[in-house]
Amino acid sequence: MTFIRNRWYIAAWDGEVANAPLSRKICGETIVLYRKLNGSVVALRDACPHRLLPLSLGTREGDNLRCKYHGMLIGPDGSPEEMPLTNQRVNKQISTQSYNVVEKYRYIWVWIGEQDKADPETVPDFWPCDSEGWVFDGGYMHVQCDYRLFIDNLMDLTHETYVHAGSIGQKELMESPLETSVNGNKVTLSRWIPNISPPPFWRDALQKDTPVDRWQICEFIEPCSVNIDVGVSPIENLDSLEDHNSGVRGFVIDSMTPETEESCHYFWGMARNFRIDDQGLTQRIRAGQAAIFHEDIEILERQQQSIADNPDMALRVLSIDSGGAHARRSISKLMEIENGKK
Amino acid sequence: MTFIRNRWYIAAWDGEVANAPLSRKICGETIVLYRKLNGSVVALRDACPHRLLPLSLGTREGDNLRCKYHGMLIGPDGSPEEMPLTNQRVNKQISTQSYNVVEKYRYIWVWIGEQDKADPETVPDFWPCDSEGWVFDGGYMHVQCDYRLFIDNLMDLTHETYVHAGSIGQKELMESPLETSVNGNKVTLSRWIPNISPPPFWRDALQKDTPVDRWQICEFIEPCSVNIDVGVSPIENLDSLEDHNSGVRGFVIDSMTPETEESCHYFWGMARNFRIDDQGLTQRIRAGQAAIFHEDIEILERQQQSIADNPDMALRVLSIDSGGAHARRSISKLMEIENGKK
Amino acid sequence: MTFIRNRWYIAAWDGEVANAPLSRKICGETIVLYRKLNGSVVALRDACPHRLLPLSLGTREGDNLRCKYHGMLIGPDGSPEEMPLTNQRVNKQISTQSYNVVEKYRYIWVWIGEQDKADPETVPDFWPCDSEGWVFDGGYMHVQCDYRLFIDNLMDLTHETYVHAGSIGQKELMESPLETSVNGNKVTLSRWIPNISPPPFWRDALQKDTPVDRWQICEFIEPCSVNIDVGVSPIENLDSLEDHNSGVRGFVIDSMTPETEESCHYFWGMARNFRIDDQGLTQRIRAGQAAIFHEDIEILERQQQSIADNPDMALRVLSIDSGGAHARRSISKLMEIENGKK
């Protein structure tokens, strides 16, 4: 196994889940998602407990799903409300797995492992995605790679120069010193670039041209997210790495939920605290991110294939990979704890 | 293994086998079928005993097949008539497997297991397919599912309400009592519905509107067929479940020959004893059946996939599944006998 | 393993390798080929030693390849010239496999096994491909079969009658006696047909109609080539099987480099010593060969599939297969030596 099970994983954007059932495999388990009449989200194993037809082929009846094969009516807790023949006694023993769900920060989070350990308080903190004065938008992509290759990619921004040569690659950024810190299972890579002229994107964000401090802080949040705090602040604000909320600021929000050991669901977006009502800007940022992430995905899928094609070779860890290496170490340690090896 | 080997299996419709060789995998074995000049059918392993090229790529010469690679000429018993070089001594030791064949009831039946056990008398009784006063027509479909899932499907007609909601689903039929009986390896599900007004299809068949008795009798015939005796008879005929041949009657004929453990060949059709010269009716029935069976196949292929996707879940047997469960028990018992476990 | 590793294998035609990197899997190993500025060819494992992205996705910089992921600059010896961050100390320990290369007889040969055993003198002798008074041309095809099935095919010309019935099949040729000789690891099949009227192709080559001696000599050259010496000579030249260079002569040149255990790269062509400046003839021969080899490939791919489909059957060796059988015995013996079993 390459992933921790007792964790909250993003299964979908809030807007992806409506009344019609949505099927998605999360950490190797088939899951069907739908909303009850009161709007709350249900997550069940996507297989009727009777003859295993995917429940996502069925139809909604009130808060229940009617199986398309023999008409068993499954309630939001995964147990039957009606048996295939209406005059049959309902046997609550025959039920399908239900999963704890939390809807928070614009995402639907499901708990994959032991359900009695699911605590809504342990959903990772994605505050910029749902805060007063911020706006958040993004998209979804399916990627044919181990989610950890994607974490490596996001925890190392040197690749921008080559993978994104035609888009965002910036040599000057790479030359600023980078600090790595590990705090429990959190891994942080920080760059603070004092007193520079703001690059075009940030000058537009700031809506003036004035000397700024700039930052770029990548944070690995277990089990599978990397959020990147970026922005600039006029030098007279005296912002710092520890406290920098007086300029213009954004978070690149990335979560790579494992689908199988060799594929993942990529939920990406940007939260920002400037020009938050400018829908045109929101649209331009989303299109720009999509183009960049497609460049990453092409590399990541080829890398996954190459790992399979060269079984005698191993990934090497250079100093630029220390962020990803620390993140992988966190994941391994948590898996060992989960499997009772520690 | 999920199928019995020492049995007759339908390999093709009679009309599918002509002079040109037909290749079809039956119970995991590649088989080539063709007709001799006298019209009788030959079944051989579809591999030249020399270098294994499929014989179905070859050409007919009289009653023999000439391999496309080195020209070895294989006779209808699987042994060579000519070696690759014409001046070579024919070595009858170098031969390919030949299979016993029976052409009966419009089908080509082949015996897969030990050939010395093949007894033409043990071809299952499909009398309505080839009797005076009856007509029989149907079709062929390839299905990506374990043949036993298809038996389950046919031995339980409650699914009609949901799978065939838009076509033949009829709630009133479901409400009639159903009797299950097991007689040796035969499993029978019977419904007798006395004194009703005939539904449109049967009124047309009968060509009058009068109170009728109606029946529906599903019979599992090992190793892989389910034939369904359906019809109506005017009440004054005093027909019964045991004896009901004085009204209008049809048999839905279904055989699901295993191709591999996860796929099967579906041979389906309808035999009937009314308006037997009405070719338009024959055509309409065939088109109607094809539409309905496509609905089943979509469900069955999704079910097969879901079983693979949810390895921790098992098929549950409810009372509505008892027909299929009895049929599977027959198959298991016969396989145990075949494998010498009993 | 089905192939010898310590050998020279053809990886590409000379014209296929230019400045842009070419990726090709040889004997199960991913290899990238490119030319240095001086024109010599480099062969490296097609995976960056850092994070395994295929180097063939990268870009040339002088004689080096710049990885597309983090910009590591790999030299022609497989070791880094620059680390991902330019200010990092170059660590020569982190390198990718490099392969010995020889460019000879119009082909790029790579040595797959232990590099210190690579001796350019052991490249097989393909002299007609690169000799004064000769011209050589041909093509490349990817084939989904074990390379040894292709050797069997080429070491037995009886198949021409059936596989190439519409093209080159000639019964009279088959009727001439064939001599097999084994000399070390070389296997030779020879036919000498004295005093016949030349067939059309050779009459055109000779540019006159006169009685000729004709020959056809297939030679298996380990590890994976079959070259066929063909031609005619006017009888007055008194040519012989041992010495026949005074008429018109060609070599069909065939090499089947293993890609995986079930697929190979087919490099084919014809070298000839007549009308060598006639480009139209070169083009016609190439087109004719392509058409014939497509007929073989169709058979070989079906044969490979049939071997998998009929696991209980084995390839039989008849007298016509003795050439291929001897060739396979050479390969097996050499593999045993390589694996220290002898």
Side-chain angles (χ1 to χ4, degrees):
Chain A
M1 191 92 75
T2 56
F3 34 80
I4 321 168
R5 284 179 57 81
N6 281 319
R7 280 302 177 281
W8 293 106
Y9 282 98
I10 297 177
W13 279 89
D14 54 2
E16 287 185 294
V17 182
N19 293 328
L22 172 73
S23 180
R24 194 159 274 166
K25 190 180 272 184
I26 306 291
C27 295
E29 302 202 4
T30 63
I31 290 180
V32 55
L33 300 161
Y34 66 94
R35 285 188 190 276
K36 295 205 287 190
L37 297 173
N38 68 7
S40 66
V41 175
V42 174
L44 301 176
R45 181 70 72 86
D46 191 14
C48 176
H50 176 213
R51 306 298 287 181
L52 272 62
L53 192 76
L55 288 168
S56 54
L57 297 180
T59 43
R60 284 285 308 280
E61 288 192 15
D63 285 349
N64 309 313
L65 274 183
R66 173 82 68 187
C67 178
K68 172 82 177 154
Y69 200 167
H70 302 87
M72 197 164 180
L73 189 69
I74 303 295
D77 63 349
S79 76
E81 294 296 319
E82 279 178 25
M83 299 304 274
L85 282 178
T86 46
N87 54 352
Q88 284 223 322
R89 200 178 55 80
V90 167
N91 179 349
K92 290 280 182 187
Q93 298 307 100
I94 299 177
S95 65
T96 198
Q97 164 90 51
S98 80
Y99 299 86
N100 279 279
V101 173
V102 169
E103 181 166 359
K104 203 169 177 181
Y105 308 129
R106 304 276 324 280
Y107 287 126
I108 309 304
W109 305 76
V110 295
W111 183 269
I112 289 298
E114 298 149 272
Q115 294 302 311
D116 53 3
K117 295 194 173 168
D119 175 1
E121 295 302 311
T122 61
V123 168
D125 183 5
F126 277 36
W127 66 265
C129 300
D130 186 19
S131 284
E132 186 68 30
W134 288 72
V135 65
F136 176 44
D137 193 26
Y140 164 83
M141 292 170 182
H142 181 267
V143 187
Q144 207 61 46
C145 82
D146 183 331
Y147 76 109
R148 297 171 305 175
L149 292 179
F150 218 142
I151 292 173
D152 295 341
N153 170 285
L154 287 159
M155 289 299 282
D156 140 58
L157 300 179
T158 51
H159 76 268
E160 295 197 352
T161 314
Y162 303 100
V163 177
H164 309 302
S167 50
I168 55 167
Q170 276 184 296
K171 280 214 169 171
E172 57 279 22
L173 203 59
M174 293 309 112
E175 282 153 10
S176 313
L178 184 77
E179 259 180 62
T180 307
S181 71
V182 181
N183 186 349
N185 299 312
K186 217 171 232 185
V187 183
T188 310
L189 303 178
S190 328
R191 264 199 194 96
W192 184 264
I193 311 137
N195 199 1
I196 59 164
S197 174
F201 177 85
W202 289 114
R203 195 165 48 222
D204 285 359
L206 207 56
Q207 286 177 297
K208 65 180 166 181
D209 192 359
T210 176
V212 296
D213 298 324
R214 183 178 177 190
W215 63 89
Q216 200 180 38
I217 307 164
C218 299
E219 198 164 72
F220 166 67
I221 301 164
E222 56 99 351
C224 62
S225 300
V226 176
N227 293 345
I228 310 177
D229 176 359
V230 288
V232 300
S233 184
I235 53 171
E236 60 270 23
N237 290 353
L238 301 177
D239 270 358
S240 69
L241 191 57
E242 291 68 38
D243 180 7
H244 48 272
N245 214 14
S246 57
V248 286
R249 190 176 181 189
F251 279 83
V252 180
I253 302 289
D254 303 289
S255 293
M256 288 70 64
T257 299
E259 180 188 51
T260 66
E261 309 248 321
E262 289 100 25
S263 61
C264 61
H265 304 288
Y266 181 30
F267 299 98
W268 54 267
M270 191 178 203
R272 70 180 195 272
N273 71 355
F274 54 91
R275 297 171 63 183
I276 64 174
D277 296 325
D278 183 341
Q279 294 274 340
L281 178 60
T282 300
Q283 204 172 2
R284 281 197 305 283
I285 290 175
R286 194 176 59 220
Q289 282 192 304
I292 288 163
F293 296 146
H294 275 302
E295 292 175 338
D296 287 306
I297 287 171
E298 199 200 318
I299 293 295
L300 289 164
E301 296 189 336
R302 297 295 296 261
Q303 186 189 17
Q304 175 79 32
Q305 185 56 51
S306 184
I307 289 169
D309 282 347
N310 297 283
D312 57 332
M313 292 180 73
L315 299 176
R316 306 294 288 257
V317 177
L318 303 180
S319 60
I320 55 163
D321 306 305
S322 71
H326 282 298
R328 282 174 178 255
R329 215 164 297 142
S330 283
I331 294 170
S332 297
K333 218 162 49 185
L334 290 164
M335 276 199 288
E336 281 176 9
I337 292 168
E338 189 169 275
N339 298 326
K341 290 191 194 148
K342 261 193 178 167
Chain B
M1 192 91 76
T2 55
F3 34 81
I4 321 168
R5 284 178 58 81
N6 280 320
R7 280 301 178 281
W8 293 107
Y9 282 97
I10 298 176
W13 280 89
D14 55 2
E16 287 185 294
V17 182
N19 293 327
L22 172 73
S23 180
R24 194 159 273 166
K25 191 180 271 183
I26 307 290
C27 295
E29 302 202 5
T30 62
I31 290 180
V32 55
L33 300 161
Y34 67 94
R35 285 188 190 275
K36 295 205 286 189
L37 297 173
N38 68 9
S40 67
V41 175
V42 174
L44 301 176
R45 181 70 72 83
D46 191 15
C48 177
H50 176 213
R51 307 298 288 179
L52 273 61
L53 191 76
L55 288 169
S56 53
L57 296 180
T59 44
R60 284 284 308 281
E61 287 192 16
D63 285 350
N64 309 312
L65 274 183
R66 173 83 66 189
C67 178
K68 172 82 177 156
Y69 201 166
H70 303 87
M72 197 164 179
L73 189 69
I74 303 294
D77 64 349
S79 76
E81 295 296 319
E82 279 178 25
M83 299 304 274
L85 282 178
T86 46
N87 53 353
Q88 284 223 324
R89 201 179 54 80
V90 166
N91 180 349
K92 289 280 181 188
Q93 298 306 101
I94 299 177
S95 65
T96 198
Q97 165 90 52
S98 79
Y99 299 86
N100 278 278
V101 173
V102 169
E103 180 166 359
K104 204 171 178 181
Y105 309 130
R106 304 277 326 280
Y107 288 126
I108 309 304
W109 305 76
V110 296
W111 183 268
I112 290 299
E114 297 150 271
Q115 294 302 311
D116 55 2
K117 296 194 172 167
D119 175 1
E121 295 304 311
T122 61
V123 169
D125 183 5
F126 278 34
W127 66 264
C129 300
D130 187 20
S131 285
E132 186 67 30
W134 287 73
V135 66
F136 176 44
D137 194 27
Y140 164 83
M141 292 169 182
H142 181 266
V143 187
Q144 206 61 46
C145 81
D146 183 332
Y147 77 108
R148 297 172 303 175
L149 293 179
F150 217 141
I151 293 173
D152 296 340
N153 170 286
L154 286 160
M155 289 297 283
D156 141 57
L157 301 179
T158 50
H159 77 268
E160 295 197 352
T161 313
Y162 303 100
V163 177
H164 308 303
S167 49
I168 55 167
Q170 275 184 295
K171 280 215 171 173
E172 57 280 22
L173 204 58
M174 295 307 114
E175 281 153 10
S176 312
L178 185 77
E179 259 179 63
T180 306
S181 72
V182 180
N183 186 350
N185 298 313
K186 218 171 231 185
V187 182
T188 311
L189 303 179
S190 329
R191 266 199 193 97
W192 185 263
I193 312 137
N195 199 2
I196 59 164
S197 173
F201 177 85
W202 290 113
R203 195 165 48 222
D204 285 359
L206 207 55
Q207 286 176 297
K208 66 179 166 183
D209 193 358
T210 175
V212 295
D213 297 324
R214 183 178 177 188
W215 63 90
Q216 200 180 37
I217 306 164
C218 298
E219 199 164 72
F220 166 69
I221 300 165
E222 56 101 350
C224 63
S225 300
V226 176
N227 293 345
I228 311 177
D229 176 359
V230 289
V232 300
S233 183
I235 53 172
E236 59 270 25
N237 290 351
L238 301 175
D239 270 359
S240 69
L241 191 58
E242 290 69 35
D243 179 6
H244 47 273
N245 213 14
S246 56
V248 285
R249 192 176 180 190
F251 279 83
V252 180
I253 302 289
D254 303 289
S255 292
M256 288 72 63
T257 300
E259 180 187 50
T260 67
E261 310 247 322
E262 289 100 27
S263 61
C264 60
H265 304 288
Y266 182 30
F267 300 97
W268 53 267
M270 190 176 203
R272 69 179 197 275
N273 70 357
F274 54 91
R275 297 171 63 182
I276 64 173
D277 296 324
D278 184 340
Q279 295 274 339
L281 178 60
T282 300
Q283 205 172 2
R284 282 198 303 285
I285 289 174
R286 194 177 59 221
Q289 284 191 303
I292 288 163
F293 296 145
H294 275 302
E295 291 176 340
D296 286 306
I297 287 171
E298 200 200 319
I299 293 294
L300 289 165
E301 295 188 336
R302 298 295 295 263
Q303 186 190 15
Q304 175 79 32
Q305 185 57 51
S306 185
I307 289 169
D309 282 347
N310 297 282
D312 56 333
M313 293 180 72
L315 299 176
R316 306 294 287 256
V317 176
L318 303 181
S319 61
I320 55 163
D321 306 307
S322 71
H326 282 299
R328 282 174 178 255
R329 216 164 297 142
S330 284
I331 294 169
S332 297
K333 220 163 46 188
L334 291 164
M335 275 198 290
E336 282 175 8
I337 292 168
E338 189 169 277
N339 298 326
K341 290 189 193 147
K342 261 194 182 169
Chain C
M1 193 90 76
T2 56
F3 34 81
I4 321 168
R5 284 178 58 80
N6 281 319
R7 280 303 177 278
W8 293 105
Y9 282 98
I10 297 177
W13 280 90
D14 55 2
E16 288 185 293
V17 182
N19 293 328
L22 171 73
S23 181
R24 193 159 274 166
K25 190 181 272 185
I26 306 291
C27 296
E29 302 202 6
T30 62
I31 291 180
V32 54
L33 299 161
Y34 67 94
R35 285 189 190 275
K36 295 205 285 190
L37 296 175
N38 68 8
S40 66
V41 175
V42 174
L44 301 176
R45 181 71 71 85
D46 191 14
C48 177
H50 175 214
R51 307 298 288 181
L52 273 61
L53 191 76
L55 288 169
S56 53
L57 297 179
T59 44
R60 285 284 307 282
E61 289 193 15
D63 285 349
N64 309 312
L65 275 183
R66 173 82 69 188
C67 178
K68 173 81 177 156
Y69 201 167
H70 302 87
M72 197 164 180
L73 189 69
I74 303 295
D77 64 348
S79 77
E81 295 296 318
E82 279 178 26
M83 299 303 274
L85 283 178
T86 47
N87 54 352
Q88 283 222 325
R89 201 179 55 80
V90 167
N91 180 349
K92 289 279 182 186
Q93 298 306 102
I94 298 176
S95 66
T96 198
Q97 164 91 51
S98 80
Y99 299 87
N100 278 278
V101 174
V102 169
E103 181 166 359
K104 203 171 179 181
Y105 308 129
R106 303 276 325 279
Y107 287 126
I108 308 304
W109 305 75
V110 296
W111 183 269
I112 289 300
E114 298 149 272
Q115 295 303 311
D116 54 2
K117 296 193 173 168
D119 174 1
E121 295 302 311
T122 61
V123 169
D125 183 5
F126 277 34
W127 66 264
C129 301
D130 186 20
S131 285
E132 186 68 29
W134 288 73
V135 66
F136 175 44
D137 193 27
Y140 164 84
M141 293 170 182
H142 182 266
V143 187
Q144 207 61 46
C145 82
D146 183 331
Y147 76 108
R148 296 172 305 175
L149 293 179
F150 218 140
I151 293 173
D152 296 340
N153 171 286
L154 286 161
M155 288 299 283
D156 139 57
L157 300 179
T158 51
H159 77 268
E160 295 196 352
T161 314
Y162 304 99
V163 176
H164 308 302
S167 48
I168 55 167
Q170 275 183 296
K171 279 215 171 170
E172 58 279 23
L173 204 59
M174 294 308 114
E175 282 153 10
S176 312
L178 185 77
E179 259 178 64
T180 307
S181 71
V182 180
N183 186 351
N185 298 312
K186 217 173 233 183
V187 182
T188 310
L189 303 178
S190 329
R191 265 199 194 98
W192 184 263
I193 311 137
N195 197 3
I196 58 164
S197 174
F201 177 85
W202 291 113
R203 196 166 46 224
D204 285 0
L206 207 54
Q207 287 176 298
K208 65 179 166 183
D209 193 358
T210 177
V212 296
D213 298 324
R214 184 178 176 189
W215 63 89
Q216 200 180 39
I217 307 163
C218 298
E219 198 164 73
F220 167 68
I221 301 164
E222 55 100 351
C224 63
S225 300
V226 177
N227 292 346
I228 311 178
D229 176 357
V230 289
V232 301
S233 183
I235 53 171
E236 60 271 23
N237 291 350
L238 301 176
D239 269 359
S240 68
L241 191 57
E242 291 67 39
D243 180 5
H244 47 273
N245 214 13
S246 56
V248 285
R249 191 175 181 190
F251 279 83
V252 180
I253 302 289
D254 304 288
S255 294
M256 289 70 66
T257 300
E259 180 188 50
T260 67
E261 310 247 321
E262 289 101 25
S263 61
C264 60
H265 304 288
Y266 182 30
F267 299 96
W268 53 267
M270 190 177 203
R272 70 180 197 275
N273 71 355
F274 53 92
R275 296 170 65 184
I276 65 174
D277 296 324
D278 184 341
Q279 294 274 339
L281 178 60
T282 300
Q283 204 171 3
R284 281 197 305 284
I285 290 174
R286 193 177 60 221
Q289 284 192 301
I292 288 164
F293 296 146
H294 275 302
E295 291 175 339
D296 286 306
I297 288 171
E298 198 200 320
I299 293 294
L300 290 165
E301 295 188 337
R302 296 296 295 263
Q303 187 189 16
Q304 174 81 31
Q305 185 56 51
S306 184
I307 290 169
D309 282 348
N310 297 283
D312 56 333
M313 292 179 73
L315 299 176
R316 306 294 286 257
V317 176
L318 303 181
S319 60
I320 54 163
D321 306 306
S322 71
H326 282 299
R328 282 174 178 255
R329 215 164 299 142
S330 283
I331 295 170
S332 296
K333 216 161 49 185
L334 290 163
M335 275 198 290
E336 282 175 8
I337 292 168
E338 188 170 278
N339 298 325
K341 289 191 194 146
K342 262 193 179 165

